[in-house]
Amino acid sequence: MAVDSEWVTLQSVFPKLNAENCQLTSAASPLYNCVAWAAGEQSLNWWPSKADGLGLFSYWPISIRSTTVANFCKAFGALGYELCGEAGLESGYEKVAIYADGNIPTHMARQLPDGKWTSKLGKGIDITHNELGLLEGDEYGIVAAILKRAIPS
């Protein structure tokens, strides 16, 4: 799906990614961000501040609008997620991961049914990556929390 220039840009920001551990799965879209993508939403931007960088309204599922890992955990708690300690695939559960620089969330990813992870890179492309650690580094920091919920029936 990606042209060579997209790969070059992607690998300059995330040097651990390559064609063997990452697939580009959709074109760039400004309609949603990584937090919305982690929540399964593709038509809204999710962020605790009331406006995103483009001046558009941002959705947030709870009234507390602080940009902290704990608040992101609370927001996804409102969706039925709870903290867990393992990134591995668990039968009957779906998982999301919060990346952070210190206590400030920078990115979220969602686990796919095959155990791989999917990420929306800002307002850019969506990717599937084999491991969470592939996105750790200068851009997103480290995985600060993993949450899970029972797969809705």
Side-chain angles (χ1 to χ4, degrees):
M1 165 174 208
V3 295
D4 289 338
S5 64
E6 287 177 309
W7 269 111
V8 169
T9 301
L10 184 63
Q11 290 177 308
S12 70
V13 177
F14 304 105
K16 298 174 192 172
L17 294 179
N18 60 52
E20 294 177 11
N21 62 30
C22 172
Q23 297 82 42
L24 304 163
T25 53
S26 75
S29 171
L31 298 177
Y32 60 100
N33 63 359
C34 64
V35 182
W37 184 245
E41 174 65 53
Q42 295 181 51
S43 62
L44 293 171
N45 185 46
W46 285 38
W47 198 254
S49 61
K50 291 189 178 184
D52 68 9
L54 301 174
L56 302 172
F57 178 76
S58 290
Y59 174 77
W60 197 239
I62 61 174
S63 62
I64 302 167
R65 288 190 169 261
S66 65
T67 309
T68 64
V69 171
N71 192 44
F72 274 55
C73 290
K74 287 178 189 175
F76 274 75
L79 303 176
Y81 287 89
E82 58 187 36
L83 280 170
C84 73
E86 294 291 324
L89 187 62
E90 275 186 72
S91 180
Y93 289 92
E94 55 188 5
K95 294 183 179 182
V96 295
I98 302 169
Y99 291 75
D101 183 0
N103 191 35
I104 307 298
T106 55
H107 179 66
M108 287 191 71
R110 173 174 34 95
Q111 192 174 48
L112 296 169
D114 65 1
K116 293 180 181 179
W117 294 83
T118 181
S119 288
K120 167 78 167 164
L121 303 178
K123 295 200 184 268
I125 60 174
D126 302 337
I127 65 169
T128 298
H129 44 105
N130 295 355
E131 302 170 24
L132 290 173
L134 296 172
L135 295 183
E136 289 184 325
D138 293 341
E139 186 74 14
Y140 289 152
I142 63 167
V143 174
I146 299 169
L147 301 107
K148 70 178 183 179
R149 72 174 175 187
I151 295 174
S153 48

